[in-house]
Amino acid sequence: MTTILPFRFGRRHAVATLALTALAAGVAAYADDFSHDRDFHFWPGNLVVSRSVYDNNASNVQVGEVLPPHCPASSGACGAASGAPYDGTYPYVWNNDTYDGSFGITSRIYLDQITPNGWLINTLEVPNSSRPTAREGEMVTSFSSKSELGLHLSLDGKYLSFMGYVAPINALDVSNSNTPLAVDSTNPDGGSFYRAVAIVDRKGRFQFTETNAYSGNNGRAAIFNNVDGANVFYTSGNAGNGSNPQPDGVILGAGAQFITPASLPESLQSPVAPTPLASFSVTALGDKADKIGKDDNFRGITEFNNVLYFTKGSGGNGVNTVYFVDTTGTACQNGVGVPAAGAALPTSPLSYNASTLQTSGLPTNMCILAGFPTTPAKTAKTLSYPFALWFADANTLYVADEGDGYVGGADLYTHAAAQTTAGLQKWVFNATTKSWTLAYTLQAGLNLGQPYTVRNYPAGTNPATNLPWSPATDGLRQITGRVDEDGKVTIWAVTSTISGNGDTGADPDRLVAVRDVLSNTTAAGAANEQFVTLRSAKFGEVLRGVSFTPGTDAHEHEHGRH
């Protein structure tokens, strides 16, 4: 039975109802609920959720198959001769990650259009190898790669953008493959695939731009700057899956990228070497240099008042924190600061000295946002795990923290439940100190560490990990929001998970929402606020990004323009 509670959404204070039990009649999205026809439309004011569905074909992996495929002997990291322990059957297939650290399988991407209170309107399938006649091109995601498919509106609000791979469905280990012009011979994943940026308009028409960036890893999100004569993608991601030192192409293709949209069909594109947008080194903080290129392991990206912001929330190098790109060169001292008044968005790639790339890396043109953590991951006693971020206004920033992903033992649930910073963090700006302060973290209703059931999912213990199969929420990844006329903000978010799955990125997760009083700055003032669940991924599904639809009023979308 579906439990219904009142929940306020929208600029007219209308009371909507939320289905708190996922997959209620009329709400569930299915793999075959898609549209290829010319009559598809996104309608302004709705939401889009990116979703992927695994093919669940046992033959995707052969037991005993040596992985990664095409593993070069020079890498010294090819799988054991005994081969893959599991076939392609979901969810057991993800236990192969314990054998092959680069393991992943590509899958279809779906864009679900839903109302702000979670009701499914229609679904658009992104062109892929199952549609070989598609003129636009094709794109897939890596099913278990949890950081992919962030959704963002273009700066004029007319297009939705995201990133993926130019590869067929059910291809193995694409997410750690090289790109064709940035090959690392020490990468154990010997495949080679372009990454790509996709845009889609309100009529469901796609355009793809291939890139050699993010070799050895993945592109995660993209923002299309198409205002005031600009024509460029700003993207976030990570690169590198080999040893140190990394090739020039890997260093150049990491982190924040500046990509010019292609005007040709995918089949006619010839991507050039990567062009970096921005970079940060812990040496700007006075710390000892890390592995070159690995400080730029970025996840979230957003734009506010002509400034680009990025987050880093994983990896052993760099600082897990919030950054911004300083186009003025005057905003920071010792690697920390706030954007300068009147800053402009980047209009060209980052300049660098090719002769010193291997010794010094890219020049630093980014800063840690004042008030956020500045201690490198290697020495920090406590870490944050920021993912997506959204500005409600110039003095209010919401940051999704995905949690620490702990799956180290039988206490995985209690560990997740005990986290204090996982969830939705609210940061407020102090104009006197010119610094941001964490006001509170919203967690109520997320049920951190409480296992939930998924229909047809295995019960009991995963034999590969000796931990329970059931997923539990660990924090939040992607978010978007809207300022409402009643002085509150509505935030929609996609959850992160922990479980005994061989790869927790493949856990069925959830779309949740919460309302927060914009002016409130105390935990006591937010004591009655709690998340509600709008949608739940089904067996063989994962949810990834969330955004407003193309064509939504730019004053309402996630770039926070007011």
Side-chain angles (χ1 to χ4, degrees), residues 201-217:
D201 65 15
R202 62 184 300 180
K203 293 185 178 181
R205 296 174 296 196
F206 289 92
Q207 181 179 335
F208 300 100
T209 297
E210 298 180 344
T211 177
N212 280 291
Y214 305 122
S215 181
N217 216 288

Side-chain angles (χ1 to χ4, degrees), residues 20-69:
L20 297 189
T21 300
L23 309 181
V27 179
Y30 297 91
D32 55 354
D33 287 341
F34 56 80
S35 173
H36 300 317
D37 59 51
R38 297 178 181 177
D39 294 328
F40 182 91
H41 280 82
F42 289 114
W43 284 278
N46 290 319
L47 296 174
V48 182
V49 175
S50 54
R51 174 173 57 97
S52 188
V53 179
Y54 177 59
D55 201 36
N56 200 15
N57 188 337
S59 64
N60 286 343
V61 182
Q62 302 293 328
V63 173
E65 181 178 358
V66 176
L67 298 173

Side-chain angles (χ1 to χ4, degrees), residues 259-486:
I259 300 175
T260 301
S263 58
L264 297 172
E266 265 192 327
S267 60
L268 299 178
Q269 294 178 31
S270 299
V272 297
T275 49
L277 164 72
S279 182
F280 184 84
S281 170
V282 294
T283 58
L285 303 170
D287 295 299
K288 183 180 178 180
D290 274 332
K291 181 179 179 180
I292 291 176
K294 279 300 184 180
D295 289 359
D296 295 342
N297 176 4
F298 299 132
R299 291 199 160 191
I301 179 175
T302 197
E303 177 270 344
F304 183 78
N305 283 349
N306 289 327
V307 177
L308 289 172
Y309 296 82
F310 291 83
T311 63
K312 180 187 176 297
S314 64
N317 298 294
V319 183
N320 285 9
T321 194
V322 175
Y323 302 83
F324 67 93
V325 180
D326 177 23
T327 56
T328 68
T330 62
C332 298
Q333 293 183 353
N334 301 320
V336 180
V338 294
L345 285 166
T347 57
S348 60
L350 175 64
S351 297
Y352 63 92
N353 186 341
S355 66
T356 61
L357 193 63
Q358 286 293 327
T359 54
S360 303
L362 292 167
T364 292
N365 67 334
M366 303 178 77
C367 315
I368 293 177
L369 192 59
F372 284 84
T374 58
T375 306
K378 290 181 178 178
T379 56
K381 293 182 179 179
T382 58
L383 285 173
S384 59
Y385 302 91
F387 210 104
L389 62 172
W390 177 75
F391 283 87
D393 58 30
N395 299 307
T396 313
L397 172 59
Y398 291 90
V399 179
D401 188 299
E402 69 169 332
D404 62 11
Y406 173 79
V407 290
D411 61 337
L412 80 166
Y413 294 141
T414 56
H415 180 96
Q419 296 178 101
T420 58
T421 58
L424 184 64
Q425 299 175 358
K426 183 177 187 176
W427 291 75
V428 294
F429 184 66
N430 186 317
T432 301
T433 63
K434 301 293 183 182
S435 182
W436 291 82
T437 301
L438 177 62
Y440 49 86
T441 301
L442 295 175
Q443 296 181 329
L446 287 178
N447 301 320
L448 297 180
Q450 295 183 26
Y452 53 85
T453 59
V454 177
R455 185 178 180 182
N456 296 325
Y457 216 61
T461 299
N462 180 355
T465 63
N466 293 315
L467 295 172
W469 277 107
S470 295
T473 298
D474 194 45
L476 300 176
R477 292 182 187 135
Q478 302 292 349
I479 60 173
T480 194
R482 182 183 61 197
V483 179
D484 298 321
E485 289 180 349
D486 60 354

Side-chain angles (χ1 to χ4, degrees), residues 8-15 482 484-486 515 556:
R8 291 184 180 272
F9 277 110
R11 305 181 69 85
R12 299 300 179 190
H13 306 179
V15 176
R482 182 183 61 197
D484 298 321
E485 289 180 349
D486 60 354
R515 299 199 78 215
E556 295 189 22

